[in-house]
Amino acid sequence: MSEYVKLEFEGKIYQFPIVTGTEGEKAIDISELRSSTGLITLDPGYANTGSCASSITFMDGEKGILRYRGIPIEQLAEHSSFIETAYLLINGKLPTGEELKQISILFNDHSLVHEDMQIFYQNFPRGAHPMGILSSMANALRSFYPELQTIEEEINITVIRLLSKVRTMAAMSYKISRGHKVVYPRPDYKYPANFLHMMFDTPVKPYEINETLVRALDVFWILHADHEQNCSTSTVRLVGSGRVNLYAAISAGISALWGPLHGGANQAVIDMLKEIQKDGGNHQRAVEKAKDKKDPFRLMGFGHRVYKAYDPRAKLIKKMCDKILKELDISDPLLDLAKELEEVALTDDYFIEKNLYPNVDFYSGIVLRAMGIPTNMFTVMFAIGRLPGWIAQWKESMDDPMWKLGRPRQVYTGPSITDYIPIDQR
Ligand code: SDX
């Protein structure tokens, strides 16, 4: 039996269908709202607005649930690899052993970037932010690989290129920013090991692969791989809806992720912890500042538009911090500070009433520091992890018969009709 909601407006009753999701969440389908009532909705930040139906990722913000294609994030973090998870997100099923082997061969074949791209890197100012470089390079890939992406095969090869080259491009920006020689990927290394190799190998000190860090990076990227219709994913979908090539849509997603309210928060958390450390570890002052309405300061890594419970990814990353610091016998005072800050915030009425918990970015910087990743590359690490999610969501939107050019409406609040005033009368 189909469900409806009724809307009464100017003496008339209108009915709009209810759409019910797999887990019982409900939405009003307002695709006929304007044509039948002349009304539009207004929803700043789209906090109450669904942009699409999607079968990729399920989140329950109240219960702190996250599943990729139905599989709980905890099981994927425990048993899967980043590449297997990327395959699951993009293809809707876990790969067979043979399929995984084929993917690995393709990743090797496409792991290099065109040598001419190094000229682009060389011409960025030394202090250029790696997210700005990565976004530019993702867009530049289109110039080197101009396939039209109209047939399945061209789309698939573009997907492989992006997934394989993104880590090479990221490592290149680090090496070149330090004036070091670019290190090429190795065919005998798997995805995360190859990235660490390209980042830290040098002719004088070969990089020794540490399996604890390789596994930590694999899990880090699994936890970042998708998160339904967040800011950067919605950007990829919106830019993609104009039917631009995938490289340009991904470049837009990288730019959207860069913001400190979104993926840029992982870098902002470490900067915040360092400030608190400089202030003698006075986390109470940071909490008071975060609560002060007059102060724009927010507790970075805390709060979430959807999670009103502990972000399940933050839980897993926090556990990972303890594990790798212990295994590597590293102590990081910022981890102790972060835990104390969490404890103070979670017992404070302000944070309790507003359901503000640590999100994925709160502890992730600690893991990345343990790997030796420089702070200004933390959001690049997030982008590499999120790339399969962006691709999966883009593909789903391209295959969705309901999907069309994204173009929101507005409520106009400017001046009504006004005559032009010649300059000598102003
Ligand atoms: C990511 O969407 C996703 O899925 C994103 C992501 C993903 O995987 O793609 O999960 C990744 O972006 C995680 C979020 C990283 N950002 C941060 O850690 C930045 C700090 N957090 C906040 O800026 C904030 O919590 C947001 C932006 C994340 C969410 O903010 P909302 O949903 O717009 O909520 P809001 O700003 O309306 O806040 C509600 C209330 C406000 O107080 P009142 O006006 O009601 O009195 O909570 C307060 C806010 O002032 N608040 C905070 C706070 N976050 C919200 N107060 C202090 N510190 C904070 N961190």
Side-chain angles (χ1 to χ4, degrees), residues 227 261-262 299 301-302 304-305 313 350 354 359 386:
H227 218 231
L261 291 189
H262 189 16
L299 217 49
F302 255 78
H304 198 275
R305 174 62 57 78
R313 303 166 299 175
Y350 173 93
K354 295 177 191 297
N359 59 50
R386 185 52 53 88

Side-chain angles (χ1 to χ4, degrees), residues 47 59 223-224 226-233 257 259-266 268-269 287 289-291 293 297-308 311 313 350-351 354 356-357 359-362 382 386:
M59 289 169 67
L223 297 177
H224 285 78
D226 192 51
H227 218 231
E228 52 132 285
Q229 306 312 316
N230 58 83
C231 172
S232 53
T233 300
L257 186 73
L261 291 189
H262 189 16
N266 59 14
V269 167
V287 168
K289 260 174 77 69
K291 290 159 58 176
K293 282 280 143 249
F297 175 78
R298 287 199 160 177
L299 217 49
M300 301 316 276
F302 255 78
H304 198 275
R305 174 62 57 78
V306 175
Y307 288 127
K308 301 308 167 194
D311 184 331
R313 303 166 299 175
Y350 173 93
F351 288 83
K354 295 177 191 297
L356 303 175
Y357 292 88
N359 59 50
V360 68
D361 293 310
F362 190 63
F382 192 145
R386 185 52 53 88

